[in-house]
Amino acid sequence: MSPATVAQSVLDAAGPQAAAIEGLWWLIFWISVGVFAVVMAFLAWAVVHRRDRPTSDSSLTRWVIGGAGATVVILFVWLVASVWVGRAVASPQMSDAVTINITGRQWWWQFEYVDTLPSNRFRTANEIHIPVGRPVVVNVTSRDVIHSFWVPNLHGKRDLIPGYTTALWFQADQPGRYRGQCAEFCGYQHANMAMYVIAEPDNDFQAWLSAQRQPAAEPGTERQRRGREVFLAATCPQCHSIRGTLAGASFGPDLTHVGSRSTIGAGVLPNTAENLIRWVRNPQDFKPGNKMPAHDLNDADLQALADYLGSLK
Ligand code: CUA
């Protein structure tokens, strides 16, 4: 059973990094509330006790020095807390970590699971599974423009910079389906660059991992076989891979197990046969400006194609 979807929020931390960031947020929030309350109280007091003769210079100076001093102390507390949180979220805990290479693309996410055994490496898109309670190290970069990886329930933002790789780590302590999104304006479809992180018990994660490592399933029906022929004869293999077939391009998302993903187009449509047909017919209807062209296929071919892609669990 897949874990329940969790509301996307910085204030609902599901792991140690997000918890540290959430703690800092609340610290700053409550101090700000306190400062606001004190300033309003002084203002009210001043309005009520209004006097016509001016306050003496020396008492005014005392208040100004007191206010400036309190401000410096508060800013210093925030500085120390920020540095402390920055250190806490950055200190890597590498033992037993899952490593994923993330590449930002216009406008989708390429995920590559790293393994010391090259045959265990694989690529997927827009949806990652991670084990609960184990650290995940992600190496992030971009292939085109600057994107930003952000799963608010798990960690802060990290920019993806073309030609430059940085690493961060996070951990989910509660199972859940966490939504993330690109957090740096990267073009026309920046807002439609979503991803899902599915944190699940280790058994489920291992099962998912070994399924994803497999090449694509053979078509089980005549229509699915026809769907694969349509896929290979159309322009699809110029951009996409389906491991186990001749399609091996990496310009678009790897489709080897596309049927196991929950959305199409990086969160734009739920992954159903009907939506696959609509998407392949003209992706520009749903995500204008994306790099996938319209396809002039007849209805029978489209249905066979959607049936085949849906069967790639
Ligand atoms: Cu990618 Cu915004």
Side-chain angles (χ1 to χ4, degrees):
M1 205 186 74
S2 57
T5 302
V6 179
Q8 180 183 325
S9 171
V10 176
L11 302 180
D12 187 7
Q17 291 73 27
I21 293 167
E22 186 186 342
L24 181 65
W25 193 90
W26 284 113
L27 177 77
I28 292 175
F29 176 77
W30 285 118
I31 290 178
S32 304
V33 167
V35 168
F36 180 76
V38 167
V39 169
M40 287 302 120
F42 275 120
L43 183 66
W45 188 88
V47 169
V48 171
H49 297 88
R50 200 176 50 192
R51 280 175 299 185
D52 291 334
R53 58 195 166 75
T55 317
S56 71
D57 274 358
S58 67
S59 101
L60 204 57
T61 308
R62 267 203 310 277
W63 280 106
V64 170
I65 289 175
T71 305
V72 168
V73 169
I74 289 169
L75 290 177
F76 193 72
V77 168
W78 282 354
L79 175 70
V80 171
S82 305
V83 170
W84 185 84
V85 167
R87 278 181 64 96
V89 302
S91 314
Q93 199 170 102
M94 306 293 270
S95 67
D96 202 24
V98 176
T99 306
I100 307 170
N101 293 338
I102 300 181
T103 308
R105 314 284 298 255
Q106 280 174 318
W107 291 276
W108 57 282
W109 304 88
Q110 176 182 296
F111 298 121
E112 183 183 26
Y113 281 71
V114 178
D115 197 281
T116 43
L117 202 63
S119 61
N120 276 347
R121 283 176 166 241
F122 65 89
R123 278 182 182 176
T124 182
N126 304 327
E127 207 164 289
I128 46 176
H129 288 237
I130 61 169
V132 168
R134 259 173 74 190
V136 179
V137 174
V138 296
N139 303 309
V140 302
T141 187
S142 169
R143 269 279 293 270
D144 34 52
V145 299
I146 298 177
H147 303 273
S148 185
F149 177 76
W150 191 33
V151 188
N153 302 74
L154 297 175
H155 207 308
K157 298 171 183 172
R158 175 60 66 91
D159 278 4
L160 277 56
I161 304 186
Y164 184 73
T165 302
T166 60
L168 76 155
W169 76 285
F170 59 85
Q171 185 173 311
D173 287 334
Q174 292 149 28
R177 184 169 176 269
Y178 303 100
R179 187 178 184 278
Q181 64 184 67
C182 183
E184 177 78 30
F185 181 73
C186 54
Y188 198 24
Q189 288 296 336
H190 157 69
N192 282 325
M193 190 169 164
M195 83 201 91
Y196 285 93
V197 177
I198 292 119
E200 55 197 2
D202 202 47
N203 287 345
D204 294 352
F205 171 69
Q206 294 300 341
W208 178 84
L209 205 60
S210 41
Q212 295 285 317
R213 282 172 180 159
Q214 300 301 316
E218 278 296 302
T221 66
E222 207 40 57
R223 189 157 84 151
Q224 288 169 9
R225 203 174 308 279
R226 172 71 196 140
R228 184 168 69 179
E229 280 168 21
V230 171
F231 181 90
L232 293 171
T235 49
C236 315
Q238 291 178 17
C239 295
H240 296 283
S241 284
I242 294 183
R243 277 176 279 136
T245 73
L246 290 174
S250 62
F251 187 70
D254 185 300
L255 300 178
T256 309
H257 297 287
V258 64
S260 70
R261 306 206 278 261
S262 59
T263 70
I264 304 168
V268 170
L269 293 170
N271 190 1
T272 63
E274 193 184 307
N275 282 338
L276 269 170
I277 292 171
R278 293 159 73 205
W279 174 265
V280 173
R281 188 180 281 134
N282 191 4
Q284 304 300 322
D285 283 347
F286 306 96
K287 199 166 174 175
N290 90 77
K291 307 247 157 73
M292 181 161 161
H295 291 86
D296 190 16
L297 297 168
N298 66 47
D299 285 354
D301 282 354
L302 272 173
Q303 271 162 15
L305 179 59
D307 194 8
Y308 171 58
L309 293 176
S311 75
L312 301 177
K313 299 287 188 194

